[in-house]
Amino acid sequence: MGFLLEIVTPRGVYFKKEVDSLTVKLTSGYRTILKGHAPLIGSLGYAPMHTISTGKVDNYAIHGGAINITKEKVTLIVNAVEHAKDIDVARAKAAKERAETRLSKKELNLDVKRAQLALTRALVRLEVNNSK
């Protein structure tokens, strides 16, 4: 028996289920959470996330947020989350190319941070898709 994992987005609860382990990237680096983990509050980066439930691995793209680990459950409050099976690879590749093009042109009115985030999101989606 594992622990309760709840993922919440601005649209509501994405899921609430029992998992055996969770691997997620905090701003301080990757961390694997197992049942009985010490309480923790932290910031999440833009990165792949992996859960294991009864031997089944599920891969997700997480796009920033926060984690709260308590004795009762682990809660992720994220800007967005996508399961690997829901990622549109063609769209992610197109977004990657658009962002790279924008960043390489270095236009005067370019919102560099926005273009870098778009590139990061696309790269995370492609990495998660490759780990299906």
Side-chain angles (χ1 to χ4, degrees), residues 2-100:
F3 58 90
L4 182 63
L5 172 62
E6 180 177 33
I7 299 180
V8 181
T9 73
R11 294 181 178 201
V13 176
Y14 178 75
F15 75 60
K16 188 184 234 183
K17 69 179 183 180
E18 193 87 10
V19 299
D20 297 319
S21 75
L22 164 69
T23 301
V24 67
K25 184 177 183 185
L26 281 68
T27 52
S28 59
Y30 278 95
R31 182 154 311 183
T32 297
I33 290 92
L34 302 171
K35 183 178 181 176
H37 194 287
L40 172 79
I41 294 176
S43 297
L44 298 170
Y46 289 68
M49 178 189 90
H50 314 285
T51 63
I52 299 176
S53 301
T54 58
K56 181 179 183 278
V57 177
D58 283 302
N59 299 300
Y60 301 86
I62 295 289
H63 304 293
I67 186 170
N68 181 24
I69 302 173
T70 66
K71 214 170 23 171
E72 293 80 30
K73 69 178 178 177
V74 175
T75 304
L76 303 181
I77 302 168
V78 298
N79 298 320
V81 57
E82 299 168 281
H83 191 280
K85 67 179 172 43
D86 299 326
I87 293 173
D88 182 336
V89 176
R91 185 171 168 243
K93 285 180 180 178
K96 175 183 175 280
E97 290 172 13
R98 278 192 311 274
E100 288 173 336

Side-chain angles (χ1 to χ4, degrees), residues 89-132:
V89 176
R91 185 171 168 243
K93 285 180 180 178
K96 175 183 175 280
E97 290 172 13
R98 278 192 311 274
E100 288 173 336
T101 300
R102 284 188 189 122
L103 289 167
S104 69
K105 287 184 179 179
K106 298 181 182 175
E107 295 172 353
L108 186 60
N109 60 350
L110 174 68
D111 186 342
V112 175
K113 185 168 181 134
R114 183 174 174 202
Q116 288 171 333
L117 280 174
L119 178 59
T120 300
R121 285 190 301 270
L123 291 171
V124 168
R125 287 180 178 118
L126 292 171
E127 183 178 343
V128 168
N129 182 69
N130 287 334
S131 62
K132 282 199 261 190

